[in-house]
Amino acid sequence: MKLLPILTTHDGSSSRSNMTCKYKCGDACFHAVPNTSKGQYFGDVVKTAMTRRGVLRGGAMAVVAVGAGSVLAACSTDEPAATGSAGATTTPPVDGVDFTAVAPNTEDAVVVPEGYEQAVVVRWGDPVVEGAPAFDFDNQTAAAQAKQFGFNNDFAGLLPMEGSNNSYLLVVNHEYTTEPFLFKGYDAENPTREQFDIALAAHGLSVLQVNGENGSGKLTPAFSQYNRRITGTTAFTITGPAAGSDFLKTSVDPTGATAFGTFNNCSGGLTPWGTVLSGEENINQYFGNAESVTEPVAAERLARYGIEGAASDRKWERFDKRFDLAQEPNEVNRFGYVVEVDPWDPNSTPIKHSALGRFKHEAATIYVTDDGTVVAYSGDDERFDYMYKFISSRKMMSGNGQAAKRHNLTLLDAGTLYVAVLTGDAPDAIDGSGTVPSTGKFAGKGEWIPLLRTGEDGKGESLVPGMSAEEVAVFTRQAGDKVGATKMDRPEDFEPNPVTGKVYVALTNNTNRGTEGKAAADEANPRNKNKNGQILELEDDHAGTTFVWNLLIVAGDPGEADTYYGGFDKTQVSPISCPDNLAFDSKGNLWISTDGNALDSNDGLFAVVLDGERRGETRQFLTVPAGAETCGPIVQDERVVVSVQHPGEFDEASADNPMSHWPDGGDSQPRPSMVAVWKA
C-alpha cells in the first residue's frame, strides 16, 4: 500500500489541507469569527435554579437515526483497544465493539480490522439514472454529471425496500466540489462555463437502489424507478415563516417560495416517516461581491453568516447572476436550511424548512417521544455558534397510507424553534487547560430558549424582542445572539441514541477558543485553542425545555493530560481527534467519524462504549485514505458503510498531479466513493 504524508495545516490543529478548507468551507478558519456578539457563555451566566425533569425514554416510536439498526457482527477479541497499550482489560469486550482496533496510519487505502472485507459501493461519476454514460474523466459534461453520482459524498442513509430483505434505497448528499480535482488544467481565475455547469450538477443528492448479496455485506447499485439526481438547479419548495418573505424574493422567483438547487449539504438524518433530511452548511462561499452590499443592516447580516469580499473562489457569479450579490442580494437567503427529500417519490419536489431556522446546518436528526411528539436537533457548524432543536406541534401519524404520508411531510412546518444555553456544575474549576474538575467529570444543566413559533397556517410568531418572525427564520444566528445562547466549539452532528434516548453532539474543534477577544474555555468547551474537539452527552427532556449534560470524550492524544475518555483507562483507547458525524448500533454503542484528525493519522471511524465499567472505551474500526475525510457512517448487522470524501486532497495535488489513486489504483484519478465493510 502506498504511504502518503499527512499535511498538517492551521497551526498544527488539523490535517485538512488548505485546498480542502478553501473549497469545502470557504477558508472559514482563516477568516474572522462571524459571531462577534457579547452573548452569554459560562463565564457570564448567572446560575439559575433549574429542576431536572424526567427524561423521556425512547419507546416503540423512538428515533430512527442515521446508522440506527442492529449492531455490526464483529470478530471477538480480547486485545486491548489501542495498539501499543498497556494490556488487555479484565472484563470481556462489549458486544459490537469486540474487534481488533486498526492502528493509526497514513496509507492510501481504506484499512479495516483483521477478519473483515470491503468493497466500493459507488464512486463519483458512476451512473445513477438509466441512460447515464460511463464515467470519462477527460470528457465530462454537465448533462452526464446530472445523471451520475455526484462529487464529495457526505451523509448516507440506507432505507430498506418493502418486500425485499436485502434491497435498499441509498440516499447520499454531495457536499462540495473541488474544481482543481475535477478538471485537468483548471484555471481558478478563469473557470469555463462548462466547468461551472458540471460543478452545479455535481452538488446535491443521489438516490439509487442497491442490492445486497447473501453471505456478505456487499452492496451493488441497480437501476430502478426510484433512482434520482438532485442538483444545483433542482426546484425546492420553501415552507414556514420565511416562505414568501421579502428577504427571499428575487428576479427569478418574485414569490420568494421556490429556491433552485441545494449546496454544501453536509450530514443529515432519516425520518421515521421514510424521508431524508439534509443540512445546507457552508453556503456563504458560493456568493460573490458581498462588498457591494453597503446598507448597514444588510451588510451586518451578511457578515454574521461569513459572507464577505469581492469575487468568490469558484467565480460562479460570472455565469449566473443569482450568485452575484450585487445583482441578487436576496439569493443567499434562500440557502442554509434543512432540506427534506421523499426518496420514494422521484417526482416529488424537495422542501426547505424555514421553521427550523437558517444557519450552517450540519444535519437534522429526529427523535419521536412515546406520545408521537417529533423533535428535530441541529447544530450550527461554526466556531462559537449554537445548538438548536425544533419541537413540532403536530403528532406523527403511524402507517404507510397516503393520509399519514401527507400529514408527516408537514411535521416540520409547525412548532417551536429553540436555542441552547448551558451552565456548568463546576465553572470555577475551568482554566482552559482541559483539567477534569474534582467531581471527576465535566457536567452541568441546560435550558432551551424559544426563538420562533410557527402556527398551523405556516405563519410565524417571533419570540425574540426586536425581531420579526421572518427575521428570526432567515437570520437565526442573530436571534441566538440576542437571547444569549451558549457559544460552542463547532457543534456538528446531533444524534439521539435509539436505545437510551440520550442525545450526543460532536463538537469538532475551535482553535480560537480563549484567544484574544474570544470566549474563554467553559465546562462544555473546557480547552483553550481546542484542536481536537469533544463529544457532548445530553439527557434531554425531549418535548420540554431542560436538560442535563456531561462530556463523554474530550478528544486528543490519550497520553496528554487535557484528554478524557469517559473515565476509562486512557492507555486502553484508540486516539481520536476532530469528531464529526455520529451513528449508533442497536446495542447503543456510539460510532464516530472524524474530519481533520490532528494526531498525524488518517481520519477514521471509531466505536465507543457508553455504559457500564467500560464507558468511554474507544476503538478505531477503520481509516480512510490519506487526504480523505470519513463521513456518513451507517452501522448494521450485515455491514458498515462510510463515505470517503476528498481522497488525496493535498495542497500539492491536483488532477494534473494526483497524490492518491484510490479507489481504482494504477494511475487513475482519486474518486470520492461509498465503501461497505463486513465480517469475512
Side-chain angles (χ1 to χ4, degrees):
M1 296 180 179
K2 182 179 179 181
L3 299 179
L4 292 178
I6 288 291
L7 301 183
T8 304
T9 59
H10 302 303
D11 301 323
S13 62
S14 173
S15 60
R16 266 192 189 179
S17 68
N18 294 308
M19 180 76 72
T20 301
C21 287
K22 178 177 180 178
Y23 286 94
K24 182 183 179 76
C25 60
D27 280 331
C29 292
F30 288 118
H31 290 236
V33 174
N35 190 352
T36 60
S37 72
K38 302 300 181 183
Q40 297 172 330
Y41 52 98
F42 279 178
D44 299 329
V45 173
V46 177
K47 280 192 169 182
T48 59
M50 299 176 62
T51 301
R52 176 182 172 186
R53 302 178 184 178
V55 177
L56 294 171
R57 300 294 184 176
M61 296 180 65
V63 64
V64 175
V66 180
S70 50
V71 66
L72 178 76
C75 291
S76 179
T77 176
D78 290 326
E79 290 296 315
T83 300
S85 57
T89 54
T90 58
T91 56
V94 171
D95 191 9
V97 190
D98 49 354
F99 51 83
T100 301
V102 168
N105 64 80
T106 58
E107 295 182 12
D108 186 29
V110 173
V111 180
V112 301
E114 181 181 354
Y116 286 80
E117 296 180 348
Q118 60 172 294
V120 170
V121 179
V122 60
R123 303 161 296 179
W124 165 50
D126 284 348
V128 170
V129 179
E130 205 156 5
F135 181 65
D136 184 346
F137 183 91
D138 293 315
N139 294 284
Q140 299 178 60
T141 67
Q145 178 64 88
K147 297 180 178 181
Q148 297 166 334
F149 195 70
F151 201 72
N152 274 340
N153 36 278
D154 195 302
F155 164 79
L158 276 177
L159 294 86
M161 299 186 69
E162 188 174 355
S164 172
N165 63 1
N166 212 359
S167 292
Y168 309 84
L169 289 189
L170 175 64
V171 184
V172 181
N173 64 26
H174 304 290
E175 185 174 3
Y176 73 102
T177 50
T178 316
E179 276 73 356
F181 286 82
L182 265 73
F183 312 111
K184 292 180 180 177
Y186 180 71
D187 182 352
E189 294 303 314
N190 296 286
T192 68
R193 174 75 200 207
E194 182 69 7
Q195 289 169 341
F196 161 71
D197 288 333
I198 291 170
L200 271 181
H203 282 75
L205 297 94
S206 293
V207 180
L208 65 155
Q209 181 174 330
V210 291
N211 298 327
E213 60 181 40
N214 293 332
S216 94
K218 186 176 181 180
L219 294 171
T220 303
F223 293 123
S224 78
Q225 60 180 316
Y226 303 108
N227 288 25
R228 180 184 189 185
R229 275 302 322 279
I230 293 169
T231 72
T233 58
T234 301
F236 285 75
T237 297
I238 303 170
T239 64
S245 163
D246 288 343
F247 296 125
L248 269 63
K249 293 177 180 178
T250 67
S251 63
V252 175
D253 173 34
T255 70
T258 302
F260 297 94
T262 186
F263 303 107
N264 216 269
N265 292 72
C266 201
S267 192
L270 304 182
T271 71
W273 50 93
T275 62
V276 175
L277 303 178
S278 178
E280 296 181 322
E281 192 182 26
N282 293 294
I283 51 87
N284 54 301
Q285 61 176 309
Y286 295 87
F287 298 88
N289 297 325
E291 64 183 19
S292 67
V293 179
T294 57
E295 194 279 319
V297 173
E300 180 182 356
R301 287 168 172 165
L302 289 176
R304 184 64 181 88
Y305 282 79
I307 304 161
E308 58 187 8
S312 68
D313 285 329
R314 290 180 175 83
K315 311 294 189 298
W316 282 8
E317 62 273 17
R318 295 182 183 176
F319 306 105
D320 188 334
K321 69 177 183 179
R322 66 189 179 119
F323 298 105
D324 184 352
L325 290 167
Q327 299 187 68
E328 294 285 2
N330 283 346
E331 183 69 28
V332 69
N333 297 335
R334 295 148 64 86
F335 297 88
Y337 298 99
V338 170
V339 169
E340 185 170 14
V341 175
D342 181 1
W344 304 105
D345 182 358
N347 297 313
S348 61
T349 302
I351 298 167
K352 294 192 180 188
H353 289 290
S354 72
L356 274 65
R358 173 175 167 265
F359 44 88
K360 290 187 177 182
H361 288 274
E362 167 75 12
T365 54
I366 300 297
Y367 189 92
V368 182
T369 68
D370 289 338
D371 70 350
T373 298
V374 173
V375 184
Y377 292 93
S378 192
D380 187 348
D381 183 11
E382 186 87 67
R383 296 164 294 166
F384 302 112
D385 259 295
Y386 309 135
M387 307 189 307
Y388 298 83
K389 81 171 179 180
F390 174 85
I391 303 176
S392 178
S393 57
R394 298 169 179 166
K395 306 290 187 182
M396 176 181 158
M397 289 179 61
S398 59
N400 298 320
Q402 287 300 311
K405 182 175 181 178
R406 285 194 298 270
H407 171 79
N408 291 337
L409 281 169
T410 71
L411 289 170
L412 302 182
D413 292 332
T416 303
L417 177 67
Y418 299 83
V419 69
V421 171
L422 291 80
T423 56
D425 288 346
D428 294 339
I430 304 302
D431 60 5
S433 68
T435 301
V436 181
S438 59
T439 57
K441 61 181 180 179
F442 301 96
K445 300 178 179 66
E447 184 175 2
W448 294 103
I449 308 300
L451 300 176
L452 176 67
R453 183 178 296 119
T454 304
E456 292 299 313
D457 59 358
K459 302 300 183 182
E461 174 192 357
S462 171
L463 304 175
V464 180
M467 296 185 73
S468 68
E470 292 177 355
E471 287 173 327
V472 175
V474 179
F475 309 112
T476 313
R477 282 183 166 180
Q478 285 94 329
D481 297 343
K482 283 181 174 291
V483 302
T486 300
K487 299 179 178 181
M488 306 297 290
D489 287 352
R490 288 185 59 201
E492 298 215 28
D493 203 1
F494 263 89
E495 289 290 341
N497 187 326
V499 175
T500 67
K502 294 180 181 179
V503 181
Y504 293 79
V505 188
L507 299 162
T508 298
N509 55 39
N510 183 0
T511 54
N512 281 54
R513 173 72 64 178
T515 59
E516 184 177 357
K518 305 299 189 297
D522 55 48
E523 205 160 345
N525 307 277
R527 292 180 297 194
N528 291 333
K529 299 183 179 179
N530 176 17
K531 65 181 181 180
N532 289 304
Q534 61 263 18
I535 298 291
L536 182 70
E537 179 182 68
L538 309 179
E539 292 187 53
D540 188 30
D541 181 3
H542 298 287
T545 59
T546 62
F547 58 90
V548 295
W549 65 265
N550 68 85
L551 290 183
L552 170 70
I553 292 176
V554 181
D557 183 350
E560 297 295 330
D562 68 346
T563 58
Y564 174 78
Y565 283 76
F568 192 74
D569 180 358
K570 293 197 295 181
T571 67
Q572 299 291 316
V573 302
S574 295
I576 186 172
S577 171
C578 300
D580 188 352
N581 299 143
L582 307 176
F584 288 93
D585 58 41
S586 65
K587 302 297 183 182
N589 299 307
L590 176 67
W591 292 67
I592 305 170
S593 64
T594 65
D595 171 19
N597 188 331
L599 300 176
D600 295 332
S601 172
N602 291 352
D603 278 312
L605 179 66
F606 300 75
V608 183
V609 179
L610 297 181
D611 297 301
E613 62 183 81
R614 299 177 77 115
R615 173 179 165 86
E617 179 179 12
T618 302
R619 295 192 182 204
Q620 183 161 252
F621 180 73
L622 61 75
T623 54
V624 294
E629 170 189 344
T630 320
C631 308
I634 303 170
V635 184
Q636 298 180 312
D637 255 346
E638 301 81 6
R639 64 186 66 84
V640 160
V641 181
V642 295
S643 294
V644 179
Q645 191 184 97
H646 58 79
E649 200 163 271
F650 297 101
D651 290 336
E652 295 89 344
S654 67
D656 298 289
N657 179 38
M659 294 183 66
S660 171
H661 302 291
W662 185 89
D664 297 330
D667 60 356
S668 64
Q669 295 286 342
R671 296 167 70 179
S673 305
M674 304 298 304
V675 175
V677 181
W678 64 93
K679 184 181 177 183

